[in-house]
Amino acid sequence: MHTADGPLTVRSSSRPEESAGGFLLRGANLSIEHPFGATSFYRNGWNSWSPTGWRSLSDEPLRIYDNPERLLTADDAAVDDPTRHQGSVLGALDAGAGQVLLLGALDLGTSLVGADDGRMWGTGESTGTEWYLAIGDEAVVFAQYAGLVASRLGRATGSVGPVWSSWYSFFENIDEVSLGEAIDDLAGYPFDVVQVDDGWEKVVGDWTEGPGFPSGLERLVARITGVGARPGLWLAPFICLPQSDTARDHPEWLVQDADGGPLVAGYNWGTHYYALDTTRPDVQDHLRALFTRLTGMGFAYFKLDFMYAGALPGVRSGGGHREEVYRAAVELVRDAVGPDTYLLGCGVPMLASVGLFDGVRVGPDVAPYWDNTERRRDPSGPGALNSLASSVARTWMKDWYDVDPDVVYFRSRRTLLDENAGRALVDLALITGFRSTSDPIAWLDADERERLRDFLVARPRIERTGRFAYRIGDREVDFAGYL
Ligand code: 9PG
């Protein structure tokens, strides 16, 4: 291959075959000598929260530093390498003049793409791993890669309008009284879905109502349909906390580690947590019954969280590659909820979720503050900047699923975000088309309520004009200015 800067030399065990504006290659190890020097590298993280974006090869690699617990939760800890610019599934080099060189895996399985100032490499799990390699206009090349993957793994077809979620205002502090009031206040606002987030359940892993919901989920469903919205619910169905009945009553349900103990799948809620072995028929029965019950109650939207735990390396009773195991488990959920229920994936492995989820979170949690020095070395941590930085670098994934950049804020109370930062989040939601907020109407003044209404119905013309630059209606917005 030739570029304006000189030739590209590709080393692989197979002959490149021309396809889709680039080349198809096979192999466990690919190496490409490139002439671009210490240019920028596009790093893709493994799951929704994993560090993703462009970083100069002369800077420190984009990754999670000094925090093994977060590394396990928010990236592919098993293959982390602090010494290299390397990411999951695909990577790209800035070739100058709007052009990129992209290498991306087309198969499931652990594949890594990395680069230094002379070489880009891909490592796959087997000699049969298929890759796409292309050079050209950035948007075109990413779209060609996305299209090839979607042609293999499919595209879920559900669609959703504006979503109100309880998380970014109330967090786990929800009960039927306070949440019920916030729901009632949404009447007259054109929300498609009202999604109840973490805090409704007894404990993560035991998916029945906690003490704050004595009237039951059915009452909550009625309250939501009463304001003209579809009911949505958060769950993390593939994990359970050590203190859950699920973990205590069914230790045999848990994925094991190499020492024969339950595998620690990650950390949150001030504890470690475990993963369910979804290859077990009894776990499958449990999942089927859970989602049949919740769908039967009237939930039409599920935010399925911490899903990567279903794809972690570990000892499971059944066979199959961990990503195949994950897909089978999500397909089981899909079968139980039916084709018309919207599935939003969060904390999901990005590639392995293609074709299964209608929408996917593409960045870390947003927060009502911009940045936080403690987070400088943890780009997966909550914050508006971290969330925006990953999400704006993953808009090309729209060919795989709806791209959820997380909620926007209109409130001026209980937030440290200034107007500029608030505008950036709103613009990001407008370009992805996924609109959500957690602002309770009661927290908004008249002007903020008006801006929320405008946002919920806005359909501006969107045109991408650069890596991070867009025309939104008649405004020019370059997100590079925020990064
Ligand atoms: C509920 C929340 C919200 C939120 C989700 C998720 O990397 N981490 O350790 C990590 C922990 C929690 C987290 C995200 C990342 O939040 O993204 O929207 O639903 O769970 O508990």
Side-chain angles (χ1 to χ4, degrees):
M1 280 167 90
H2 287 270
T3 75
D5 293 291
L8 286 172
T9 311
V10 180
R11 292 186 209 287
S12 82
S13 49
S14 75
R15 269 193 85 71
E17 177 195 320
E18 262 188 273
S19 176
F23 296 90
L24 297 182
L25 294 156
R26 255 176 218 285
N29 284 291
L30 299 188
S31 174
I32 299 132
E33 285 166 33
H34 71 79
F36 309 120
T39 183
S40 308
F41 173 66
Y42 178 89
R43 193 247 193 212
N44 177 54
W46 183 52
N47 76 38
S48 299
W49 306 314
S50 312
T52 297
W54 291 91
R55 181 60 73 93
S56 168
L57 288 170
S58 49
D59 287 346
E60 279 190 314
L62 176 60
R63 60 183 281 278
I64 299 168
Y65 289 87
D66 313 324
N67 197 335
E69 297 192 350
R70 287 199 64 85
L71 187 64
L72 177 61
T73 309
D75 212 342
D76 197 353
V79 296
D80 177 63
D81 181 347
T83 67
R84 282 140 73 97
H85 285 269
Q86 182 165 277
S88 180
V89 179
L90 78 145
L93 285 171
D94 191 326
Q99 308 258 304
V100 300
L101 173 68
L102 177 144
L103 177 64
L106 297 171
D107 301 321
L108 300 179
T110 309
S111 32
L112 303 172
V113 176
D116 60 25
D117 58 10
R119 226 162 54 84
M120 177 149 84
W121 60 82
T123 55
E125 270 183 71
S126 82
T127 52
T129 301
E130 264 202 279
W131 302 88
Y132 177 66
L133 177 70
I135 188 160
D137 174 79
E138 178 171 337
V140 171
V141 165
F142 273 87
Q144 283 164 347
Y145 169 66
L148 277 177
V149 170
S151 69
R152 292 168 181 226
L153 297 180
R155 172 76 161 91
T157 54
S159 65
V160 72
V163 176
W164 188 88
S165 162
S166 58
W167 184 251
Y168 298 89
S169 304
F170 300 122
F171 300 97
E172 283 164 72
N173 306 316
I174 50 175
D175 58 60
E176 63 184 29
V177 177
S178 58
L179 183 60
E181 283 167 11
I183 292 169
D184 291 347
D185 287 346
L186 297 171
Y189 288 81
F191 283 102
D192 178 19
V193 169
V194 171
Q195 176 252 318
V196 179
D197 212 287
D198 190 4
W200 66 271
E201 74 283 2
K202 274 212 175 83
V203 58
V204 169
D206 297 340
W207 304 108
T208 50
E209 302 86 334
F213 294 86
S215 317
L217 285 178
E218 289 88 347
R219 279 294 309 145
L220 207 55
V221 164
R223 206 110 180 216
I224 294 170
T225 53
V227 297
R230 296 191 285 161
L233 193 66
W234 174 95
L235 300 95
F238 293 172
I239 64 169
C240 58
L241 301 196
Q243 67 268 33
S244 65
D245 290 342
T246 302
R248 281 200 291 217
D249 298 346
H250 298 286
E252 74 284 3
W253 285 12
L254 307 177
V255 177
Q256 306 289 297
D257 63 20
D259 305 326
L263 177 80
V264 172
Y267 297 84
N268 201 39
W269 304 281
T271 174
H272 60 281
Y273 51 80
Y274 302 131
L276 297 188
D277 177 356
T278 61
T279 66
R280 293 177 59 97
D282 44 11
V283 170
Q284 294 166 1
D285 288 344
H286 152 81
L287 289 171
R288 210 174 284 116
L290 169 62
F291 282 97
T292 303
R293 172 168 66 87
L294 295 171
T295 306
M297 283 182 185
F299 287 102
Y301 175 108
F302 293 102
K303 175 177 172 183
L304 303 182
D305 209 350
F306 295 84
M307 295 298 279
Y308 75 92
L312 280 178
V315 180
R316 294 178 174 85
S317 80
H321 185 278
R322 62 195 181 96
E323 289 192 338
E324 297 289 358
V325 163
Y326 167 80
R327 285 181 74 82
V330 180
E331 275 162 13
L332 179 157
V333 172
R334 168 60 78 188
D335 279 350
V337 302
D340 299 331
T341 298
Y342 192 93
L343 294 181
L344 178 71
C346 188
V348 296
M350 305 311 288
L351 180 74
S353 298
V354 177
L356 302 176
F357 285 95
D358 302 289
V360 163
R361 256 283 285 292
V362 294
D365 289 15
V366 75
Y369 52 82
W370 185 249
D371 200 5
N372 159 343
T373 41
E374 173 199 326
R375 293 296 184 207
R376 284 285 151 78
R377 289 170 71 78
D378 180 8
S380 74
L385 171 60
N386 281 351
S387 173
L388 180 136
S390 278
S391 301
V392 79
R394 276 176 164 167
T395 54
W396 62 271
M397 291 182 179
K398 65 183 188 309
D399 293 335
W400 290 356
Y401 23 63
D402 295 344
V403 163
D404 170 17
D406 215 358
V407 302
V408 306
Y409 299 89
F410 293 96
R411 68 202 201 212
S412 50
R413 62 181 91 170
R414 306 199 205 199
T415 178
L416 300 171
L417 294 171
D418 63 17
E419 217 170 291
N420 225 1
R423 182 79 245 173
L425 296 181
V426 167
D427 284 340
L428 180 63
L430 291 176
I431 66 166
T432 68
F434 197 104
R435 298 143 205 267
S436 63
T437 188
S438 288
D439 286 343
I441 302 302
W443 292 14
L444 303 178
D445 66 25
D447 179 55
E448 290 159 359
R449 290 178 192 188
E450 213 38 55
R451 283 193 283 126
L452 167 62
R453 281 188 189 283
D454 288 348
F455 170 72
L456 296 177
V457 299
R459 291 285 180 282
R461 220 166 59 85
I462 306 293
E463 195 191 331
R464 189 174 176 195
T465 55
R467 175 171 293 166
F468 299 127
Y470 291 81
R471 188 166 301 124
I472 305 178
D474 53 15
R475 290 182 305 122
E476 310 279 345
V477 177
D478 193 344
F479 293 95
Y482 297 105
L483 302 179

